[in-house]
């Protein structure tokens, strides 16, 4: 899920058994749609960067090791960091750099505090992208640019975790090509909660560095006994155990663990390491290897003058999750939104309709996916853009516009004047102000900010210089 709200900013797919949903109810949801020489790493081919020593060399580990990992850089994880420090333990925090500083996510100061306490900072894509669902160039930008951002902020970044635990041989090659030493999956180690028949632990020297095995995400169904039993089975097997956490709070959400439970587990785990047969280590400490040079993903240039910058403008091509390819539903505030398909559309076979109900605050809209260039159109700083769409609605509507900076962070920018409700299709046209400094892309959609219905079709976006007449 993206933290963005108004005012803020190949081969078979392998995924965890408990894959998280991607629909946002109170913030903008992100449903992101997506090379070099090779060397042999532990018996498999993977692309590497151009550094002299590219093959990670695992460090000597005890008979068994436990790595405590945390996904997405949630602000609540700072409570886990406090508990870890109090018990002399360290963790690996996989960060989506495009979310840093957003509501409910860590700040830059939080990241530097984690690092100062010798926790590891790893990569998790810029905007929580399913790298198996997007084009290769977009996947490369998501993986490589996240590592570049984190490195620019002063962190040694060698470990990666796949969002939603989804990977293919191609995406695993991309991770290696972006300079990572390893990548973690989920849901491939047996626990009292799930995955019967799976391995008791990853091997100390993993057979596949770019799909290391871990348990499913620890959540509200887990007990202290479940955590202890999972560690003890790995200790008996003499392997490496990766446990993954999301929120550390008292919300009771399925992906949440209470601070009290985490404190009990950390206390038990710290005592468990004292005999010296087991260690709590970061992922990097287990895998080892140098930090390789930064690799940037391919650029996504703006559309040429007079060219419609919108992909799938007629919403005709179907994508995943019932959405048009390259489009997402975004909402914030208190309301309920449903997207449906209308046949026929303004032109072509279909249009898409938003139904908003139970409205109390915020809005909802359909807009190009907030990504790094595959779907969200790139722009030139200082240029104005002509936004166009055909619509019919039972309530007032307007264009809402977001922009992305070079870090990949999306921020609310501006809105057009209101367009009146219409019982038949009318074309809404509005020219944006000049794009602000630092903005590299924009995304826009017509919104509903009251109960009602809004059907849209045939989107266009042009640089106002050379734009065709409506």
């Amino acid at each position: 899920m993206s933290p963005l709200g108004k005012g803020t900013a190949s081969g078979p797919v392998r995924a965890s058994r408990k894959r998280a949903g991607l629909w946002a109810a109170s913030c903008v949801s992100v449903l992101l749609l997506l090379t070099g020489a090779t060397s042999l790493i532990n018996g498999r081919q993977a692309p590497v960067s151009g550094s002299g020593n590219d093959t990670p060399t695992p460090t000597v580990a005890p008979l068994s090791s436990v790595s405590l990992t945390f996904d997405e850089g949630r602000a609540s994880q700072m409570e886990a960091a406090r508990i870890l420090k109090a018990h002399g333990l360290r963790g690996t925090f996989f960060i989506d750099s495009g979310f840093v500083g957003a509501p409910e996510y860590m700040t830059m100061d939080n990241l530097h505090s984690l690092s100062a306490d010798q926790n590891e900072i790893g990569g998790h894509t810029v905007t929580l992208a399913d790298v198996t669902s997007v084009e290769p160039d977009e996947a490369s930008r998501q993986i490589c640019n996240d590592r570049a951002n984190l490195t620019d902020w002063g962190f040694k970044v060698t470990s990666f975790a796949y969002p939603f635990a989804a990977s293919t041989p191609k995406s695993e090659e991309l991770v290696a090509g972006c300079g990572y030493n390893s990548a973690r999956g989920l849901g491939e180690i047996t626990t009292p909660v799930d995955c019967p028949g799976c391995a008791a632990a990853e091997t100390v020297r993993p057979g596949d560095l770019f799909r290391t095995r871990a348990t499913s995400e620890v959540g509200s169904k887990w007990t202290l006994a479940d955590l202890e039993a999972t560690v003890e089975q790995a200790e008996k097997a003499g392997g490496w155990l990766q446990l993954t956490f999301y929120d550390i709070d008292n919300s009771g959400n399925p992906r949440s663990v209470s601070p009290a439970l985490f404190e009990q587990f950390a206390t038990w785990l710290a005592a468990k390491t004292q005999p010296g047969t087991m260690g709590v280590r970061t992922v990097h400490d287990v895998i080892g290897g140098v930090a390789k040079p930064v690799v940037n993903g391919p650029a996504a240039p703006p559309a040429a003058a007079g060219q419609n910058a919108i992909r799938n403008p007629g919403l005709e091509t179907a994508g995943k999750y019932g959405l048009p390819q390259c489009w997402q539903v975004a909402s914030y505030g208190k309301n309920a939104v449903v997207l449906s398909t209308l046949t026929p559309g303004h032109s072509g076979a279909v249009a898409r309709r938003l139904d908003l109900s139970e409205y109390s605050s915020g809005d909802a809209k359909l807009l190009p996916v907030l990504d790094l260039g595959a779907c969200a159109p790139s722009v030139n700083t200082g240029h104005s853009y002509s936004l166009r769409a055909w619509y019919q609605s039972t309530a007032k509507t307007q264009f809402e516009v977001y922009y992305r900076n070079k870090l990949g962070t999306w921020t609310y920018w501006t809105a057009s004047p209101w367009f009146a409700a219409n019982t038949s299709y009318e074309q809404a046209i509005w020219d944006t102000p000049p794009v602000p400094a630092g903005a590299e892309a924009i995304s826009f959609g017509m919104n509903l900010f009251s109960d009602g219905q809004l059907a849209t079709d045939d989107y266009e976006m042009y640089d106002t210089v050379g734009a065709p007449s409506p």
Side-chain angles (χ1 to χ4, degrees), residues 427-446:
Q427 189 178 34
I429 301 175
W430 180 64
D431 291 351
T432 71
V435 172
E440 296 192 344
I442 64 175
S443 182
F444 68 95
M446 301 193 77

Side-chain angles (χ1 to χ4, degrees), residues 401-422:
V401 190
Y402 298 82
Y403 74 82
R404 188 193 73 228
N405 65 19
K406 69 176 183 177
L407 296 177
T409 302
W410 283 93
T411 303
Y412 173 76
W413 175 26
T414 188
S416 72
W418 292 347
F419 297 97
N422 282 308

Side-chain angles (χ1 to χ4, degrees), residues 13-313:
V13 174
R14 299 196 284 180
S16 72
R17 296 167 184 258
K18 293 185 177 180
R19 179 165 175 164
L22 298 179
W23 191 270
S26 61
C27 60
V28 173
S29 62
V30 174
L31 297 173
L32 297 173
L33 305 174
L34 303 110
T35 20
T38 61
S39 68
L40 189 64
I41 300 179
N42 281 2
R44 68 186 294 273
Q45 293 290 331
V48 296
S49 62
S51 62
N53 179 14
D54 288 319
T55 303
T57 302
T59 57
V60 176
L63 295 180
S64 60
S65 297
V66 176
S67 293
L68 304 176
T69 70
F70 303 83
D71 285 1
E72 297 188 32
R74 301 285 293 170
S76 68
Q77 294 168 6
M78 292 307 296
E79 177 64 10
R82 181 194 66 77
I83 294 169
L84 292 177
K85 182 176 181 179
H87 292 279
L89 305 175
R90 296 177 297 147
T92 296
F93 292 79
F94 292 107
I95 305 298
D96 298 283
S97 57
F99 293 175
V100 172
E104 300 183 0
Y105 287 81
M106 292 182 187
T107 65
M108 189 73 70
D109 286 345
N110 290 153
L111 296 185
H112 284 287
S113 175
L114 290 175
S115 182
D117 290 334
Q118 300 184 356
N119 296 290
E120 179 185 7
I121 303 298
H124 199 45
T125 72
V126 176
T127 58
L128 192 61
D130 178 347
V131 295
T132 69
S133 297
V134 299
E135 299 170 357
D137 280 357
E138 177 67 15
S140 181
R141 286 188 289 268
Q142 288 283 348
I143 298 166
C144 290
N145 294 1
D146 189 43
R147 182 168 183 260
N149 290 342
L150 295 170
T151 301
D152 286 347
W153 295 340
F155 305 113
K156 176 182 178 180
V157 185
T158 63
S159 306
F160 181 80
Y162 297 103
F164 319 110
S167 72
T168 62
K170 176 60 178 178
S171 60
E172 290 161 24
E173 290 177 1
L174 288 175
V175 172
C178 290
Y180 285 102
N181 295 348
S182 70
R184 191 213 71 207
L186 282 176
E188 295 166 315
I189 297 297
T190 188
T191 76
V193 175
D194 60 8
C195 210
C198 292
E202 176 62 278
T203 54
V204 174
R205 292 174 181 259
D208 187 346
L209 287 174
F210 292 96
R211 181 72 192 197
T212 63
R213 293 173 292 177
T215 69
S216 60
E217 187 176 72
V218 179
S220 59
K221 291 184 179 180
W222 288 63
T223 66
L224 179 60
D226 293 333
L227 289 164
E228 292 175 355
T230 304
V231 171
E232 287 172 342
Q233 75 180 10
E235 183 181 27
K236 183 177 180 180
W240 175 35
L241 176 67
Q242 295 181 89
L243 293 168
T244 298
F245 300 86
Y246 185 69
D247 274 326
I248 308 297
D249 60 25
N250 290 312
S251 67
N253 290 332
R255 303 179 70 190
S256 171
V257 170
S258 72
L261 175 57
F262 193 83
E263 174 81 56
Q264 291 173 329
F265 178 55
T267 301
W268 177 86
L269 194 58
K272 189 79 173 170
T273 65
Q274 291 176 1
T277 59
M278 188 183 72
V280 177
R281 287 168 165 73
T282 66
V283 172
H284 175 78
D285 286 344
V286 174
I287 298 297
V290 299
K292 299 172 188 173
V294 166
V295 178
N296 290 306
Q307 178 182 335
N308 185 4
I310 301 299
R311 292 191 60 178
N312 194 19

